Amino acid sequence: MTGDLRAFPAGFDWGTATAAHQIEGGNWNNDWWAFEHTPAPDGTNRVEAPSGDACDSWNRWRDDVDLVARLGLSSYRFSIEWSRIEPEPGQWSHAAIDHYRGQCETLLARGIDPVVTFHHFSTPRWLAARGGWSDPPTADAFAGFCRRAATELGPGIRRACTINEPNIVALMGHLLGVFPPGHADLDEFLRVTAVFNDAHRKAVDAIRAAAPGVPVGLTVSMTDYQALSGGEAQRDELRATAEDAFLAVTEGDDFLGVQTYSRFRVDANGILGREDGVPVLPMGYEYYPASLGNTIRRAWEVTGGKVPLYVTENGIGTDDDTQRIAYVDAALDGVLDCIDEGIDVRGYTYWSLLDNFEWAFGYRPHFGLVAVDRTAFARTPKPSFEHYAGIVRANAH
């Protein structure tokens, strides 16, 4: 960082994030593990590589806490694995809940707020076998899980996210067929959207009842949809289906998590390919850090400025760590601009702490501030790790 720094508000929350299935390893009892090991109808693999041992964070989570502490962060967002805690319907694993309680208590002892996500993409096999998120009773099953888990973990939670990016699970799993259960059915997508939204509202009530005083919210994947001339109607339709249906159920929540990575340009025929001259990242989308500020503004507008915002995910999958540093710097410029405009943005969370399992892309995309050896599991901080730590220490950029 050089030149004049722009300060973030006092008390601005700095964090990083992970998800259980992406880092723990050995999560065989959920729909993702089953999906990874079941060939597609044409016989091809559904993922580039299965999750396997991931980052072995089930055993090495203390190493991860040490890294978060070295960054000087005020929060760490991680998820609890439903399929470990409730391996069969009504069967509760006290060992698993003690494991997550230990994480919360250790983070608090290090001065780090645990931000707990109750569902991050992976669903128990037994629930998937009953229809998963296309089955309306799943909303009640999830609320019951949230109630009991929040009762057990509530004293150690400082902020709760009900569901991570339900719009992505609905889209990728039930319309595009590249996430579990691998379906492509518009009616099912719309039904899943309704079930997720019902589940969120019921989960908010359940967590608030079980853990009074813990702020609760939803995290939504947002894309910077940009309309070219004649593409306004297409853009608005995409937003309405992919985002607004989910943003609409956040009224009354304690916060909304905005999760943004890039943009899509839209004309009258739909989404366009990448723009010439704009770098393309390993996951196939454009390098476009300005998307974060644009989606923060839109989230604030759609919710009527009634729900405080956190950036609960933002980052870049790249092998070029210099590019990662530039992306974070540019994205944070957008956050500061939004704050200057009067938008209530209370924190920024970089995705991700570790290079981890990136769903259908296997281990190819590298989002982490920390590299992870795939066999020894050694953690090696990258230059972006120290760069981010410097921003956090200064509370300025």
Side-chain angles (χ1 to χ4, degrees):
M1 293 180 292
T2 58
D4 295 332
L5 297 182
R6 298 171 66 190
F8 287 84
F12 190 80
D13 180 63
W14 293 101
T16 190
T18 58
H21 191 72
Q22 294 181 266
I23 67 167
E24 285 181 349
N27 274 325
W28 62 269
N29 195 31
N30 65 42
D31 60 343
W32 258 99
W33 185 283
F35 189 74
E36 295 162 31
H37 294 87
T38 304
D42 63 1
T44 59
N45 294 329
R46 295 181 185 270
V47 299
E48 292 191 18
S51 55
D53 290 325
C55 302
D56 194 32
S57 288
W58 182 257
N59 299 305
R60 302 169 192 262
W61 63 268
R62 291 176 182 82
D63 296 340
D64 301 338
V65 172
D66 286 343
L67 290 164
V68 174
R70 281 178 56 185
L71 282 163
L73 301 176
S74 49
S75 69
Y76 175 46
R77 178 177 172 241
F78 64 98
S79 71
I80 56 176
E81 177 61 30
W82 187 357
S83 68
R84 287 189 189 269
I85 295 170
E86 191 178 9
E88 294 292 343
Q91 181 178 324
W92 197 254
S93 171
H94 299 288
I97 207 72
D98 283 348
H99 174 93
Y100 293 117
R101 184 184 292 111
Q103 287 193 40
C104 291
E105 291 173 349
T106 301
L107 286 163
L108 289 171
R110 303 290 291 272
I112 302 160
D113 286 348
V115 178
V116 174
T117 302
F118 283 71
H119 184 276
H120 195 129
F121 285 6
S122 53
T123 297
R125 286 198 193 209
W126 58 263
L127 190 63
R130 298 193 324 202
W133 293 101
S134 64
D135 186 32
T138 293
D140 293 312
F142 180 63
F145 166 72
C146 289
R147 184 178 300 106
R148 185 161 180 181
T151 299
E152 297 271 9
L153 299 177
I157 299 175
R158 292 298 175 266
R159 197 158 70 247
C161 305
T162 58
I163 305 167
N164 179 78
E165 298 183 344
N167 51 333
I168 292 297
V169 180
L171 176 68
M172 296 295 189
H174 300 269
L175 190 60
L176 300 183
V178 294
F179 276 21
H183 296 171
D185 184 313
L186 178 58
D187 290 339
E188 183 176 309
F189 165 77
L190 296 173
R191 186 165 67 252
V192 168
T193 295
V195 174
F196 265 129
N197 287 340
D198 185 33
H200 168 66
R201 292 274 25 112
K202 289 175 175 175
V204 169
D205 292 342
I207 295 169
R208 283 176 172 170
V214 173
V216 189
L218 182 68
T219 77
V220 177
S221 174
M222 298 191 69
T223 298
D224 182 12
Y225 291 104
Q226 299 180 356
L228 278 64
S229 179
E232 292 80 5
Q234 285 278 8
R235 176 202 61 195
D236 293 347
E237 183 177 348
L238 285 166
R239 285 173 167 176
T241 304
E243 297 178 355
D244 295 359
F246 298 87
L247 294 173
V249 299
T250 64
E251 186 172 354
D253 289 356
D254 298 299
F255 66 91
L256 166 64
V258 174
Q259 307 198 163
T260 304
Y261 292 90
S262 190
R263 69 168 182 175
F264 282 138
R265 298 178 307 137
V266 183
D267 68 7
N269 297 312
I271 295 173
L272 298 171
R274 276 88 64 179
E275 184 176 6
D276 290 345
V278 177
V280 177
L281 300 170
M283 285 181 70
Y285 56 73
E286 292 178 317
Y287 173 93
Y288 202 80
S291 62
L292 180 57
N294 293 338
T295 54
I296 288 171
R297 292 182 183 93
R298 184 155 193 282
W300 189 246
E301 177 185 357
V302 171
T303 59
K306 297 176 182 178
V307 185
L309 305 181
Y310 286 85
V311 177
T312 42
E313 281 187 26
N314 175 250
I316 178 175
T318 181
D319 295 326
D320 181 352
D321 204 52
T322 301
Q323 187 182 47
R324 186 185 330 279
I325 289 170
Y327 181 95
V328 170
D329 285 347
L332 289 176
D333 283 340
V335 174
L336 283 163
D337 290 343
C338 289
I339 292 171
D340 288 346
E341 293 163 21
I343 298 174
D344 187 3
V345 187
R346 299 187 178 183
Y348 175 88
T349 296
Y350 178 81
W351 180 273
S352 177
L353 175 66
L354 307 173
D355 286 342
N356 56 33
F357 176 70
E358 193 53 50
W359 311 111
F361 293 89
Y363 289 93
R364 177 165 53 86
H366 295 143
F367 280 87
L369 299 167
V370 178
V372 180
D373 182 272
R374 293 292 314 122
T375 54
F377 306 109
R379 275 84 161 131
T380 305
K382 305 173 186 178
S384 56
F385 180 98
E386 296 300 336
H387 182 79
Y388 188 42
I391 294 171
V392 173
R393 283 194 300 271
N395 196 41
H397 162 66

